Amino acid sequence: MSAKFSEFVAPAPSYEDVSAQLTRIQDAFSQASDEAGRQHVIAEWEQVRRGLDSWTSLTHLRFNQDTRSDEYRKAREFCDEITPKLTELDVRFKRQLLESEHRPELERRYGPQAFALWDANARAFDPAIKSDLVEEAKLEAEYVELLASARFEFDGKTYTLPEMRRFAEHRDRDVRHRSLHERWAWFQQRGDTLDRIFAELTRLRTTMAKTVGLETFTDLGYLRMCRIDYGEDEVACFREQVCQQVVPLCMEIKRAQARRLGLERLHYWDDLVHDRRGNPAPLGDHDWLLGRAQEMFDQMGGGLGEFFAMMQGRELLDLKSREGKAGGGFCTSIPVYGVPFIFANFNGTKGDVEVFTHEAGHAFQGYKSNDLALYDYLHPTTESCEIHSMSLEFLTWPYMGLFFGDDAERFRSIHLAESLLFLPYGVAVDHFQHEVYRNPEASPQERHAMWQEMERTYLPWRDYGDLEYPSRGGFWQTQRHIYLAPFYYIDYSLALCCALQFWVRAQQDPEGTLGTYVELCSRGGEVPFRELVRGIGLRTPFENGCLDDVIAHGREHLVRSGWIDGSRSVPE
Ligand code: ZN
């Protein structure tokens, strides 16, 4: 019988035990007399790594499920403390493998990608940065706890930050405006703390980069993200294409949105509402939604139905928002049990369906590639992971009637419009981080000005009106990734460029496209990003013209569904 989540155990490691295990593994590898012997040692190492990562996942997950629990907080603090020391042990063996005379033999067996990843891990780490890593984790936790502690009294009730989002997309303009006032007043009151945490993070990250022999944290950030087959120049080329091609289409979308809402000028508090009927919302609550999701996955095929039944049966979903629970949504893996786990904060909006199909895509991929030859291949690097999640958002389009009834078509148009609008936001966050780490000495005011510059370039329609804090450049502080996962954010835009290509294909050949999707998921991370993308016949986001098809089809769909005005010529 397969264990349920509530029965999962992953004992906390002791440094001495892991150190002894790893030393034994390193000796055994040196002494192994043949290929079979070396593979046996690597299999043992796999078990150790899977155990440690399961413990890390569970520790962070439980803390996110209840940030107020002392027990979970202490466990997470211990995890944050010991992780850099465990990384040191891990990197020591990886270096041995990288330098081994048997490397060609191992590459033949496991593929060269593992070596590329280990090389990035080794270059991103030096024992001298251990204490800085602990410090970094503490600051990140401070940010998470600060945001999780936010409470808003709104129209007689108390809400958390994720719960407040529903008012930002409320039909009533006044409710939206007032709720955003409350939200940003909270950020304004904590502006000094948010600035201080980020300034310390920037200083620490820059110091660590220099310690490992790199020029700026950007270089270290790329290594941490394990960017194997592209660098800063390719990313800049993609940002430029988004600026040239997507921003003008987004301007059209925003103009049409203002017309539908009957407004002369759109303000930030109108951003999330697309017409006077208000946004489509799922027709039922949490439990109802899970029932529809099972129906949908059963109808889709490709193994998704069986996968989702397993997720429900083994309690691998925590989707309700509640006090003390951290914000956001994510999927994590518990490799010793060979299963993923989905964490989200449902709030009764269409976002519940979007977050859910997104995280289900991540989870399905982990489930499909659990048995690959090497633990490093369980997931690819994150820009590729986000293809699995975002593509599933689009592949589930035909089934949206199950959740939204007659509003399904409206949901689809909004989803497409918001996806296109996301592309420039994603590159803005990315470009901002490049600026931040290029100028680590910048003052908080200068950082806010850098963000404003990004908004002018990539989000020229944004108008914060009388919302004081974001008007002065504070918006970026609500974007968790900037604090918690530097340089992650571009991955969403890179992946979306690929997911939208899946969408274009699925319109013509739904079944074949689902097959290709399952094939992609099953490959896990055995090759780097560009190779995965080319392997399924998509264009990589770094080629000139990568967005041509997507923009043409996207525009055509929006015109056909009456979402934007077709008489307007394609902007040059
Ligand atoms: Zn994701």
PDB file of all heavy atoms in Angstrom, residues 138-153:
ATOM      1  N   LYS A 138      18.320  33.208   6.037  1.00  0.00           N
ATOM      2  CA  LYS A 138      17.626  33.880   7.147  1.00  0.00           C
ATOM      3  C   LYS A 138      16.881  35.119   6.647  1.00  0.00           C
ATOM      4  O   LYS A 138      15.742  35.365   7.037  1.00  0.00           O
ATOM      5  CB  LYS A 138      18.632  34.313   8.224  1.00  0.00           C
ATOM      6  CG  LYS A 138      18.958  33.208   9.191  1.00  0.00           C
ATOM      7  CD  LYS A 138      19.772  33.744  10.364  1.00  0.00           C
ATOM      8  CE  LYS A 138      20.291  32.566  11.174  1.00  0.00           C
ATOM      9  NZ  LYS A 138      21.592  32.799  11.781  1.00  0.00           N
ATOM     10  N   LEU A 139      17.546  35.875   5.804  1.00  0.00           N
ATOM     11  CA  LEU A 139      16.902  37.076   5.274  1.00  0.00           C
ATOM     12  C   LEU A 139      15.701  36.702   4.402  1.00  0.00           C
ATOM     13  O   LEU A 139      14.660  37.364   4.442  1.00  0.00           O
ATOM     14  CB  LEU A 139      17.902  37.890   4.448  1.00  0.00           C
ATOM     15  CG  LEU A 139      18.972  38.625   5.265  1.00  0.00           C
ATOM     16  CD1 LEU A 139      20.136  39.036   4.375  1.00  0.00           C
ATOM     17  CD2 LEU A 139      18.370  39.857   5.949  1.00  0.00           C
ATOM     18  N   GLU A 140      15.846  35.647   3.636  1.00  0.00           N
ATOM     19  CA  GLU A 140      14.727  35.203   2.795  1.00  0.00           C
ATOM     20  C   GLU A 140      13.544  34.791   3.658  1.00  0.00           C
ATOM     21  O   GLU A 140      12.395  35.122   3.372  1.00  0.00           O
ATOM     22  CB  GLU A 140      15.178  34.049   1.887  1.00  0.00           C
ATOM     23  CG  GLU A 140      16.143  34.521   0.801  1.00  0.00           C
ATOM     24  CD  GLU A 140      16.775  33.382   0.006  1.00  0.00           C
ATOM     25  OE1 GLU A 140      16.459  32.200   0.277  1.00  0.00           O
ATOM     26  OE2 GLU A 140      17.593  33.673  -0.879  1.00  0.00           O
ATOM     27  N   ALA A 141      13.863  34.080   4.756  1.00  0.00           N
ATOM     28  CA  ALA A 141      12.793  33.649   5.658  1.00  0.00           C
ATOM     29  C   ALA A 141      12.118  34.860   6.309  1.00  0.00           C
ATOM     30  O   ALA A 141      10.909  34.871   6.534  1.00  0.00           O
ATOM     31  CB  ALA A 141      13.346  32.717   6.725  1.00  0.00           C
ATOM     32  N   GLU A 142      12.904  35.883   6.593  1.00  0.00           N
ATOM     33  CA  GLU A 142      12.340  37.090   7.207  1.00  0.00           C
ATOM     34  C   GLU A 142      11.314  37.714   6.260  1.00  0.00           C
ATOM     35  O   GLU A 142      10.229  38.134   6.682  1.00  0.00           O
ATOM     36  CB  GLU A 142      13.462  38.093   7.522  1.00  0.00           C
ATOM     37  CG  GLU A 142      12.973  39.249   8.368  1.00  0.00           C
ATOM     38  CD  GLU A 142      14.052  40.306   8.628  1.00  0.00           C
ATOM     39  OE1 GLU A 142      15.243  40.058   8.304  1.00  0.00           O
ATOM     40  OE2 GLU A 142      13.682  41.378   9.135  1.00  0.00           O
ATOM     41  N   TYR A 143      11.642  37.750   4.984  1.00  0.00           N
ATOM     42  CA  TYR A 143      10.716  38.293   3.978  1.00  0.00           C
ATOM     43  C   TYR A 143       9.431  37.452   3.919  1.00  0.00           C
ATOM     44  O   TYR A 143       8.324  37.987   3.956  1.00  0.00           O
ATOM     45  CB  TYR A 143      11.415  38.331   2.607  1.00  0.00           C
ATOM     46  CG  TYR A 143      10.537  38.759   1.463  1.00  0.00           C
ATOM     47  CD1 TYR A 143      10.255  40.103   1.244  1.00  0.00           C
ATOM     48  CD2 TYR A 143       9.989  37.826   0.592  1.00  0.00           C
ATOM     49  CE1 TYR A 143       9.445  40.505   0.186  1.00  0.00           C
ATOM     50  CE2 TYR A 143       9.180  38.215  -0.477  1.00  0.00           C
ATOM     51  CZ  TYR A 143       8.914  39.552  -0.670  1.00  0.00           C
ATOM     52  OH  TYR A 143       8.111  39.942  -1.722  1.00  0.00           O
ATOM     53  N   VAL A 144       9.600  36.128   3.877  1.00  0.00           N
ATOM     54  CA  VAL A 144       8.425  35.240   3.800  1.00  0.00           C
ATOM     55  C   VAL A 144       7.528  35.447   5.015  1.00  0.00           C
ATOM     56  O   VAL A 144       6.307  35.573   4.894  1.00  0.00           O
ATOM     57  CB  VAL A 144       8.856  33.755   3.708  1.00  0.00           C
ATOM     58  CG1 VAL A 144       7.655  32.818   3.847  1.00  0.00           C
ATOM     59  CG2 VAL A 144       9.572  33.493   2.390  1.00  0.00           C
ATOM     60  N   GLU A 145       8.149  35.503   6.203  1.00  0.00           N
ATOM     61  CA  GLU A 145       7.354  35.640   7.424  1.00  0.00           C
ATOM     62  C   GLU A 145       6.666  37.000   7.496  1.00  0.00           C
ATOM     63  O   GLU A 145       5.528  37.103   7.942  1.00  0.00           O
ATOM     64  CB  GLU A 145       8.232  35.413   8.662  1.00  0.00           C
ATOM     65  CG  GLU A 145       8.522  33.942   8.870  1.00  0.00           C
ATOM     66  CD  GLU A 145       9.547  33.690   9.960  1.00  0.00           C
ATOM     67  OE1 GLU A 145       9.499  34.383  11.003  1.00  0.00           O
ATOM     68  OE2 GLU A 145      10.402  32.806   9.769  1.00  0.00           O
ATOM     69  N   LEU A 146       7.368  38.021   7.030  1.00  0.00           N
ATOM     70  CA  LEU A 146       6.769  39.356   7.038  1.00  0.00           C
ATOM     71  C   LEU A 146       5.495  39.366   6.180  1.00  0.00           C
ATOM     72  O   LEU A 146       4.436  39.818   6.623  1.00  0.00           O
ATOM     73  CB  LEU A 146       7.783  40.381   6.507  1.00  0.00           C
ATOM     74  CG  LEU A 146       7.319  41.836   6.438  1.00  0.00           C
ATOM     75  CD1 LEU A 146       7.035  42.378   7.834  1.00  0.00           C
ATOM     76  CD2 LEU A 146       8.363  42.714   5.748  1.00  0.00           C
ATOM     77  N   LEU A 147       5.595  38.836   4.972  1.00  0.00           N
ATOM     78  CA  LEU A 147       4.428  38.836   4.088  1.00  0.00           C
ATOM     79  C   LEU A 147       3.318  37.920   4.612  1.00  0.00           C
ATOM     80  O   LEU A 147       2.139  38.230   4.477  1.00  0.00           O
ATOM     81  CB  LEU A 147       4.826  38.451   2.654  1.00  0.00           C
ATOM     82  CG  LEU A 147       5.093  39.660   1.733  1.00  0.00           C
ATOM     83  CD1 LEU A 147       6.200  40.551   2.248  1.00  0.00           C
ATOM     84  CD2 LEU A 147       5.414  39.208   0.314  1.00  0.00           C
ATOM     85  N   ALA A 148       3.725  36.792   5.212  1.00  0.00           N
ATOM     86  CA  ALA A 148       2.709  35.869   5.738  1.00  0.00           C
ATOM     87  C   ALA A 148       1.994  36.474   6.940  1.00  0.00           C
ATOM     88  O   ALA A 148       0.883  36.080   7.268  1.00  0.00           O
ATOM     89  CB  ALA A 148       3.341  34.533   6.111  1.00  0.00           C
ATOM     90  N   SER A 149       2.635  37.430   7.623  1.00  0.00           N
ATOM     91  CA  SER A 149       2.025  38.015   8.814  1.00  0.00           C
ATOM     92  C   SER A 149       1.011  39.116   8.472  1.00  0.00           C
ATOM     93  O   SER A 149       0.308  39.600   9.346  1.00  0.00           O
ATOM     94  CB  SER A 149       3.114  38.607   9.718  1.00  0.00           C
ATOM     95  OG  SER A 149       3.597  39.819   9.144  1.00  0.00           O
ATOM     96  N   ALA A 150       0.949  39.513   7.210  1.00  0.00           N
ATOM     97  CA  ALA A 150       0.066  40.630   6.828  1.00  0.00           C
ATOM     98  C   ALA A 150      -1.399  40.287   7.081  1.00  0.00           C
ATOM     99  O   ALA A 150      -1.868  39.215   6.708  1.00  0.00           O
ATOM    100  CB  ALA A 150       0.274  40.969   5.354  1.00  0.00           C
ATOM    101  N   ARG A 151      -2.101  41.218   7.751  1.00  0.00           N
ATOM    102  CA  ARG A 151      -3.552  41.070   7.977  1.00  0.00           C
ATOM    103  C   ARG A 151      -4.227  42.356   7.530  1.00  0.00           C
ATOM    104  O   ARG A 151      -3.729  43.446   7.814  1.00  0.00           O
ATOM    105  CB  ARG A 151      -3.868  40.854   9.458  1.00  0.00           C
ATOM    106  CG  ARG A 151      -3.376  39.580  10.021  1.00  0.00           C
ATOM    107  CD  ARG A 151      -4.134  38.359   9.471  1.00  0.00           C
ATOM    108  NE  ARG A 151      -3.495  37.142   9.942  1.00  0.00           N
ATOM    109  CZ  ARG A 151      -2.417  36.594   9.383  1.00  0.00           C
ATOM    110  NH1 ARG A 151      -1.876  37.152   8.319  1.00  0.00           N
ATOM    111  NH2 ARG A 151      -1.871  35.513   9.880  1.00  0.00           N
ATOM    112  N   PHE A 152      -5.346  42.202   6.854  1.00  0.00           N
ATOM    113  CA  PHE A 152      -6.065  43.372   6.366  1.00  0.00           C
ATOM    114  C   PHE A 152      -7.490  43.337   6.883  1.00  0.00           C
ATOM    115  O   PHE A 152      -8.186  42.333   6.721  1.00  0.00           O
ATOM    116  CB  PHE A 152      -6.065  43.382   4.830  1.00  0.00           C
ATOM    117  CG  PHE A 152      -4.685  43.442   4.245  1.00  0.00           C
ATOM    118  CD1 PHE A 152      -3.971  42.267   3.998  1.00  0.00           C
ATOM    119  CD2 PHE A 152      -4.090  44.664   3.963  1.00  0.00           C
ATOM    120  CE1 PHE A 152      -2.686  42.321   3.476  1.00  0.00           C
ATOM    121  CE2 PHE A 152      -2.808  44.721   3.436  1.00  0.00           C
ATOM    122  CZ  PHE A 152      -2.112  43.544   3.188  1.00  0.00           C
ATOM    123  N   GLU A 153      -7.876  44.442   7.518  1.00  0.00           N
ATOM    124  CA  GLU A 153      -9.278  44.595   7.893  1.00  0.00           C
ATOM    125  C   GLU A 153      -9.950  45.209   6.690  1.00  0.00           C
ATOM    126  O   GLU A 153      -9.613  46.330   6.287  1.00  0.00           O
ATOM    127  CB  GLU A 153      -9.409  45.558   9.086  1.00  0.00           C
ATOM    128  CG  GLU A 153      -8.734  45.085  10.362  1.00  0.00           C
ATOM    129  CD  GLU A 153      -9.333  43.788  10.885  1.00  0.00           C
ATOM    130  OE1 GLU A 153     -10.565  43.599  10.720  1.00  0.00           O
ATOM    131  OE2 GLU A 153      -8.567  42.974  11.429  1.00  0.00           O
TER     132      GLU A 153
END
